[in-house]
Amino acid sequence: MSEEEYTYLISSRDKTAAEYLFSLSSKRREEYYGKDVYIRGLIEFTNYCKNDCYYCGIRRSNKNVQRYRLDLDDILNCCEEGYSLGFRTFVLQGGEDPYFTDERMCGIISEIRKRYNDCAITLSIGEKRRESYQAYFDAGANRYLLRHETADHTHYSKLHPQELSLDNRKRCLYDLKEIGYQVGTGFMVGSPFQTAENLAKDMMFIKELQPSMAGIGPFITHKDTPFSDKPSGTLELTLFMLGLIRLTLPYALIPSTTALGTIAPNGRELGLKAGANVIMPNLSPVSVRKKYMLYDNKICTGEESAQCIQCLKNRVSSVGYEIVCSRGDVKKISDKR
Ligand code: SAH
């Protein structure tokens, strides 16, 4: 589809169109992944951040955040617990924290790689130099999540301070891909000032990049940010965009995000039905979970990891899907069943 066609489809969508879309998108997903849902253990290892993104609760200007960092032992404990619960992917996510130099990051990555050679290591630590990405890859990282956030320059500048640019974000994504990572990108749905044309551009960028993973979730207001008076994105539009992404990237790994589960009690189940096939439960120590508040009312911040996984297994099977414990690497176009 062209950018104009995406814009038309998004702006003229209705219930009938959405139901038809989900019937197509869930078929596509089953052609590649059947009923399987992969789990990724999310370790939120630092909430220090040098950036000041207007939407994000852990932006550097938010003085109400109690900052924390996990050390290597904390992180390895999370992995140990995760491994015994069946996780074979660990996602290290954090703010852009200068304390974690390349040397420290490589130390952490190689230690996890040494102990868990059958696991995938995913990083989500923002914009770095190409040499840094290469060093993490050489230390044993396999995947990288970096949402482009919005593919429109003007919109990008309304969500970020001027020292951040869409061009650099894209440069990072292409570097990561060239180095050999399985790359994930994505955007927030309903972020302030977003239009149907912006979303169409996001779809065109995703089509161009052909990422292995695409993460989208609703924007959710955070009370201590410049966007505290902006409304959150909707469940309805987020599901519609998930369906479109599945049709555009039939082979991709697409999470049903925590943000989706936050705006609606059954949001993640509906996400799976719209085409998602990944869930990312929180493996962070319970003591820090409430401090990694990207947005208000984030769910699953009080439970132990084991409770989270049991709850998710029930949720996933309630809509006819099944959690599997493999690494869950991306499929190739030719892997269609
Ligand atoms: N520092 C890393 C990780 C960011 S947190 C990076 O820059 O990539 C992961 C994602 O959370 C972000 O990419 C953003 O899309 C999302 N996020 C941040 N604030 C949010 C909010 N208020 N509502 C919904 N999602 C948000």
Side-chain angles (χ1 to χ4, degrees):
M1 277 197 299
S2 68
E3 192 171 323
E4 290 70 29
E5 285 168 326
Y6 276 119
T7 305
Y8 176 77
L9 202 59
I10 294 164
S11 50
S12 66
R13 73 187 188 282
D14 59 15
K15 218 174 156 198
T16 317
E19 272 161 22
Y20 182 56
L21 171 63
F22 301 150
S23 73
L24 298 178
S25 59
S26 50
K27 207 166 112 203
R28 271 294 102 73
R29 155 264 171 74
E30 282 188 30
E31 283 169 4
Y32 284 85
Y33 292 99
K35 299 280 189 189
D36 293 356
V37 173
Y38 302 108
I39 48 172
R40 319 303 196 191
L42 185 61
I43 305 171
E44 299 155 335
F45 70 103
T46 173
N47 70 353
Y48 282 86
C49 193
K50 67 178 170 68
N51 290 335
D52 221 12
C53 309
Y54 302 144
Y55 45 85
C56 184
I58 63 168
R59 62 200 298 269
R60 68 159 188 266
S61 296
N62 185 1
K63 300 289 180 251
N64 296 333
V65 182
Q66 255 188 46
R67 305 284 170 175
Y68 74 90
R69 293 184 178 108
L70 302 186
D71 64 19
L72 177 62
D73 280 345
D74 298 327
I75 295 172
L76 291 173
N77 285 338
C78 295
C79 295
E80 194 183 331
E81 178 168 18
Y83 193 89
S84 69
L85 290 168
F87 289 92
R88 294 297 177 269
T89 294
F90 302 119
V91 183
L92 295 176
Q93 188 181 82
E96 288 193 21
D97 179 356
Y99 170 85
F100 287 99
T101 56
D102 289 352
E103 208 183 320
R104 287 198 171 105
M105 277 318 299
C106 289
I108 295 168
I109 295 161
S110 52
E111 196 55 39
I112 301 177
R113 173 55 58 236
K114 195 170 88 195
R115 295 183 186 211
Y116 302 100
N117 202 26
D118 56 336
C119 293
I121 301 174
T122 306
L123 302 177
S124 177
I125 53 174
E127 298 174 29
K128 306 279 176 184
R129 297 171 309 133
R130 183 181 176 123
E131 299 75 55
S132 306
Y133 289 145
Q134 184 70 56
Y136 311 150
F137 188 79
D138 295 340
N142 317 92
R143 306 185 188 138
Y144 205 103
L145 305 178
L146 186 78
R147 292 182 174 180
H148 66 278
E149 312 295 1
T150 172
D152 181 273
H153 282 98
T154 310
H155 188 216
Y156 199 93
S157 69
K158 292 181 182 169
L159 302 181
H160 303 94
Q162 65 169 23
E163 65 264 22
L164 295 173
S165 75
L166 178 58
D167 288 339
N168 194 50
R169 201 92 182 155
K170 286 190 178 176
R171 188 272 303 159
C172 291
L173 286 162
Y174 285 106
D175 279 349
L176 289 160
K177 208 173 168 189
E178 276 175 29
I179 290 168
Y181 284 92
Q182 292 177 35
V183 173
T185 195
F187 53 90
M188 291 175 288
V189 177
S191 59
F193 317 110
Q194 186 179 64
T195 62
E197 285 78 9
N198 296 154
L199 288 168
K201 269 197 183 152
D202 289 325
M203 294 306 301
M204 295 307 284
F205 174 64
I206 281 180
K207 219 154 84 160
E208 176 193 304
L209 181 69
Q210 295 279 305
S212 303
M213 301 163 285
I216 66 162
F219 159 74
I220 302 178
T221 315
H222 188 293
K223 59 180 175 16
D224 300 320
T225 64
F227 291 160
S228 59
D229 60 346
K230 302 279 188 256
S232 297
T234 64
L235 176 70
E236 181 269 324
L237 182 53
T238 307
L239 295 174
F240 195 82
M241 295 310 299
L242 266 178
L244 282 183
I245 288 186
R246 172 56 69 198
L247 286 195
T248 309
L249 305 175
Y251 60 83
L253 295 157
I254 302 177
S256 198
T257 57
T258 305
L260 197 53
T262 298
I263 53 163
N266 60 342
R268 282 171 302 177
E269 291 87 319
L270 295 173
L272 296 175
K273 289 168 87 170
N277 64 334
V278 169
I279 295 212
M280 299 173 66
N282 199 327
L283 275 187
S284 312
V286 176
S287 57
V288 303
R289 284 191 194 181
K290 286 198 167 43
K291 299 178 186 158
Y292 198 83
M293 280 290 173
L294 304 178
Y295 44 80
D296 290 338
N297 306 316
K298 189 174 159 209
I299 55 167
C300 304
T301 57
E303 274 125 287
E304 299 291 337
S305 309
Q307 288 172 293
C308 272
I309 187 79
Q310 196 46 51
C311 162
L312 280 168
K313 276 187 179 155
N314 297 340
R315 286 171 180 275
V316 167
S317 61
S318 77
V319 281
Y321 296 99
E322 191 193 358
I323 286 185
V324 294
C325 287
S326 63
R327 252 175 71 125
D329 285 299
V330 69
K331 305 266 191 206
K332 294 189 286 294
I333 290 276
S334 55
D335 287 335
K336 191 166 159 181
R337 296 179 181 188

